[in-house]
Amino acid sequence: MKKTLGFNKGFIPCTILSLIIIAFGFVGLFTRGVNFGIDFKPGLIQEVRVAPPVAEVTYSGAAKVALDLSAGQLDVVITGIGTTNETRSINFNEVTTVQALAAELNKIDGVSVNVKNGSFPTTKLFLNSAATNQLTTTTLYIYPAGTSEITTDDVRDALSGMEGIAIKQLGNGADASYQIRAGVSGDASSDVTAQINEKLYSKFGKEKVAIVKTDFIGSSFSHTIMLRSIIMFVLTVLLIWVYAAIRFHWDFALGSVIALLHDTLIMMTFIVWTQMEFSATVLAAVLTIIGYSINATVVILDRIRYNLKYMTEVKNFKEILNKSLSDTLVRSILTTVTTLFAVVALFVFTTGSIKDFSLALIVGLISGAYSSIFISSAFIMACRKNWKPEFGVHHSLKAANKDE
């Protein structure tokens, strides 16, 4: 028989300790604030690719000429006063190489193409479209997809010294592009864009940097993201409460929700005082811990419900609670420790947002195991102070006793 530990003796001290830590977190919230990442504040989003160009295109005529490049064809749009407005389409099923494409473009008056890699297939090309697609005497580069030789660390190194920058890789290997995010106000967005581009040009060479897309997130959009995140969190907790109330009892359900709110506030206290950047990745860690914590709590609640039904000789709810926690203690510890092995490995061997994600998970895992045992159980113990043995007897056992 497993030894029954007196967990109830730690309920009041642990509750007081948690309240002190949470109060400390609120103090930090009002004095230090939250270090919101660029996911939750106005900023610039720019997608770049780095590759050696396969062709250089210039134009010296009086018309306005623009290139529109898609996977299947290149459209040359010619407009202007004194010219014939037209769109010439070059089909890549017929024009299969850069050399052949250059020959077609050179047929247009004023257009000049300098070929760098004539054998590259036309179906894998892209333009520096976010900068411009207009042809002028300034060179417009055509780039080859699937030839990048840089990594996220290279881009991060190029932008070293700039604050509030986040970099995310899109795609894999040589097809990768890089999303650069910077938190800026509307008036400073052009200055930050120019600074980012200059650093990239200096590191990789201006002719190799293609600005694929540039967007600016306004304050209203960032506020919308924040509001939706809060709604998502509230709905998650509410659905968990409904589930626990249906499966168990109202006090069990409320105890599990209190444990979830406890874990969230403990993580927020850690985030506030360490000034960890609160990004979408960290929010994902918070939601992950909510799911993990409720799983650990449900295991304990299920054991309490089981013991309530079958420990008919017990006259005190405290004994049932201690027995249930003792029965599940080893499982709770092993589950938490084995999960921590993987999360700690992530923390040690990764960088950037994944490192923050894993660190938030470490705090949440420890807090989740602690709250499932001491915080949720303390609330249930308080609610069942006047518990009577007959409420815990299983109906079938009652019927059997009556038959006897």
Side-chain angles (χ1 to χ4, degrees), residues 21-22 24-26 264-274:
I21 294 175
I22 291 170
F24 192 57
F26 278 108
T264 303
L265 292 174
I266 293 296
M267 291 180 71
M268 289 305 301
T269 299
F270 178 80
I271 291 168
V272 165
W273 282 102
T274 60

Side-chain angles (χ1 to χ4, degrees), residues 192-223:
V192 173
T193 302
Q195 187 179 359
I196 290 173
N197 292 344
E198 283 302 319
K199 283 182 172 289
L200 293 173
Y201 296 156
S202 176
K203 175 73 173 180
F204 305 113
K206 185 174 182 178
E207 75 284 354
K208 293 185 178 181
V209 178
I211 312 300
V212 179
K213 182 171 62 176
T214 300
D215 294 314
F216 179 75
I217 297 178
S219 58
S220 60
F221 183 75
S222 60
H223 291 159

Side-chain angles (χ1 to χ4, degrees), residues 281-351:
T281 305
V282 174
L283 175 62
V286 174
L287 295 176
T288 300
I289 288 304
I290 288 177
Y292 184 91
S293 180
I294 190 62
N295 179 68
T297 304
V298 163
V299 170
I300 294 174
L301 296 182
D302 198 55
R303 174 57 63 171
I304 295 174
R305 183 177 62 174
Y306 177 86
N307 287 336
L308 277 170
K309 291 178 180 179
Y310 296 108
M311 292 178 63
T312 56
E313 74 286 354
V314 175
K315 304 298 183 182
N316 193 321
F317 182 75
K318 175 182 67 176
E319 296 180 31
I320 292 178
L321 191 57
N322 286 335
K323 179 66 166 61
S324 302
L325 292 172
S326 299
D327 290 345
T328 57
L329 179 62
V330 173
R331 177 175 177 175
S332 299
I333 293 175
L334 287 179
T335 303
T336 301
V337 171
T338 51
T339 308
L340 277 173
F341 285 153
V343 177
V344 170
L346 276 178
F347 176 73
V348 173
F349 297 108
T350 60
T351 58

Side-chain angles (χ1 to χ4, degrees), residues 46-54 126-132 139-144 148 150 154-155 158-159 178 180 193-214:
Q46 181 168 285
E47 183 182 347
V48 301
R49 285 187 172 190
V50 179
V54 293
F126 63 92
L127 294 173
N128 191 7
S129 54
T132 182
T139 301
L140 177 67
Y141 297 103
I142 299 178
Y143 294 93
S148 177
I150 69 167
D154 294 326
V155 179
L159 300 178
Y178 299 91
I180 301 170
T193 302
Q195 187 179 359
I196 290 173
N197 292 344
E198 283 302 319
K199 283 182 172 289
L200 293 173
Y201 296 156
S202 176
K203 175 73 173 180
F204 305 113
K206 185 174 182 178
E207 75 284 354
K208 293 185 178 181
V209 178
I211 312 300
V212 179
K213 182 171 62 176
T214 300

